Amino acid sequence: MEKLRLHAPSKKPFHKTSIAFILLFVLLTTFIFLTVYPNDFWLQSLVTGGCEPRRTRFSHFVDPVALPPPEPPLRILVGVLTVPSTYERRHLLRNAYFLQPNLTANAHVDVRFFLCNLTSDEQRVLVALEVMRYGDIVVLDCEENMNEGKTYAYFSSLPALFEETPYDYALKADDDTYIRLDEMALTLERMPREDLYLGLFIPCKNITDRMGWMTGMAYALSWDLVEWISRSEIPRKHRAIQPYGEDVVLASWLRDASRGKNRFDMNPKMYDYYEEPTPCYSHEFIPETIAVHKLKTNLKWAKTLEYFNATAGLKPSELYRI
Ligand SMILES: *[C@@H]1O[C@H](CO)[C@@H](O)[C@H](O)[C@H]1NC(C)=O
Ligand SMILES: *[C@@H]1O[C@H](CO)[C@@H](O)[C@H](O)[C@H]1NC(C)=O
Ligand SMILES: *[C@@H]1O[C@H](CO)[C@@H](O)[C@H](O)[C@H]1NC(C)=O
Ligand SMILES: *[C@@H]1O[C@H](CO)[C@@H](O)[C@H](O)[C@H]1NC(C)=O
């Protein structure tokens, strides 16, 4: 019955009210103190940290004030260019990228899907669901069926889209390409941060050929080149050059502007899924793979993901037999 009495209306309202006022005063004072002088605590912890030996990230100390872990120095955007209607492929790609083993490279990698304008009521609902669930979709101002100029729309939009948090490198990738993010990040980690153009070069193994280009399976540009594409007349006036593919056209922009001098050919670490011999760009899987291309069927995805141990971490359970 003690408890019930507490809730009963007070017979001495004045007395109860003064206690409430005192409590409120104490709370307010504490609140004001913490609001006005929070840095005292923070600074103190910094100063203390400064006098002690530097703590490594593996330290077992619990910091008095938990600061967020420092952002990795290298930031990479993987832009997968795809069309609105391929919901199932995006689902597979999300699984494939999300389940990759942790990065050993000290890098922050974002995988995003880039679509052109949505054109049907179905897309407006189903793509909206993906945005709400995954937040990894970017809709560019372009027409999906025009078949020319999406590469320009993609690269030229990036600086404005990511003005606050620019990347060091932006990749453009196909949705039938499996990129091993860690291998890619480890490769880029030791590369120049500027004027970089990296991928699988055609003509094969002849990086000195001025007329060559990186194939569209996936290639990386350093952010200064991305910014250049967004402001230069050369790409803007030559978004498409018939009958060439967009990736050949991109190489021509760089050539005309004498840019992309840091060219790196990733052959044989980037290749097409092996079906039949080609001059030089398809072969069996190799452990040091950066990217496998032409994964046009679920079976090819399955074989690729199996080789790279994507399901090795599957936990045994009564719930399934696999
Ligand atoms: C990745 O790191 C997380 C958190 O440290 C850990 O739980 C997870 O098992 C790791 N995954 C792999 C594949 O190593
Ligand atoms: C894409 O959609 C936007 C907004 O609806 C529109 O302003 C723009 O003209 C469209 N672009 C193309 C190329 O269709
Ligand atoms: C490489 O490209 C250069 C310049 O186009 C050309 O002269 C040379 O023959 C090519 N080498 C091979 C092996 O194809
Ligand atoms: C997959 O796992 C096996 C067994 O642990 C290992 O021998 C192989 O090197 C791994 N493959 C790759 C590509 O890492």
Side-chain angles (χ1 to χ4, degrees), residues 31-252:
F31 174 73
I32 289 169
F33 184 78
L34 283 175
T35 312
V36 178
Y37 301 107
N39 284 354
D40 278 8
F41 298 106
W42 186 64
L43 274 179
Q44 201 181 3
S45 76
L46 275 189
V47 170
T48 321
C51 299
E52 284 168 6
R54 285 200 69 146
R55 289 171 193 171
T56 69
R57 57 196 289 202
F58 302 110
S59 142
H60 291 285
F61 284 104
V62 176
D63 281 318
V65 176
L67 297 171
E71 179 75 353
L74 183 63
R75 291 174 52 81
I76 302 171
L77 173 69
V78 177
V80 180
L81 270 62
T82 180
V83 298
S85 60
T86 55
Y87 315 105
E88 289 84 3
R89 175 57 57 85
R90 284 197 290 282
H91 181 68
L92 176 58
L93 283 163
R94 284 188 186 105
N95 285 344
Y97 285 126
F98 182 78
L99 289 173
Q100 287 197 7
N102 292 337
L103 296 187
T104 58
N106 194 10
H108 173 109
V109 183
D110 287 328
V111 179
R112 298 286 180 267
F113 297 102
F114 286 79
L115 320 176
C116 284
N117 270 1
L118 308 185
T119 52
S120 72
D121 291 343
E122 171 203 290
Q123 290 170 8
R124 277 183 273 273
V125 175
L126 299 190
V127 172
L129 286 182
E130 291 182 72
V131 171
M132 293 166 77
R133 178 72 178 81
Y134 302 105
D136 58 3
I137 300 253
V138 180
V139 180
L140 298 168
D141 180 5
C142 51
E143 243 180 82
E144 208 66 79
N145 60 8
M146 73 189 180
N147 199 23
E148 293 297 338
K150 188 170 178 182
T151 301
Y152 176 78
Y154 168 63
F155 281 119
S156 64
S157 306
L158 294 181
L161 288 173
F162 300 103
E163 202 177 357
E164 305 277 305
T165 50
Y167 293 88
D168 296 295
Y169 302 105
L171 273 84
K172 174 189 173 240
D174 273 353
D175 69 355
D176 61 348
T177 302
Y178 177 60
I179 301 173
R180 295 179 74 222
L181 300 178
D182 197 34
E183 288 295 329
M184 176 57 85
L186 286 169
T187 302
L188 288 172
E189 216 173 23
R190 10 173 247 270
M191 290 292 174
R193 295 284 187 268
E194 296 201 331
D195 211 26
L196 177 117
Y197 181 35
L198 175 148
L200 171 67
F201 193 76
I202 300 288
C204 272
K205 297 179 182 163
N206 196 354
I207 193 78
T208 56
D209 190 331
R210 284 192 74 250
M211 302 303 286
W213 69 93
M214 305 295 172
T215 70
M217 70 161 72
Y219 54 87
L221 293 181
S222 52
W223 200 250
D224 59 316
L225 290 183
V226 173
E227 287 176 328
W228 172 75
I229 290 174
S230 75
R231 64 169 190 266
S232 167
E233 297 263 286
I234 297 174
R236 183 147 42 86
K237 291 188 171 157
H238 304 95
R239 299 175 195 209
I241 303 172
Q242 301 301 345
Y244 300 102
E246 298 206 356
D247 305 304
V248 180
V249 172
L250 181 137
S252 81

Side-chain angles (χ1 to χ4, degrees), residues 180 286-287 306-309 312:
R180 295 179 74 222
I286 54 173
E306 182 182 32
Y307 176 83
F308 293 109
N309 291 331

Side-chain angles (χ1 to χ4, degrees), residues 280-296:
C280 63
Y281 45 81
S282 72
H283 51 76
E284 301 282 356
F285 298 125
I286 54 173
E288 58 273 29
T289 297
I290 292 175
V292 188
H293 181 225
K294 290 236 168 116
L295 302 178
K296 300 271 185 209

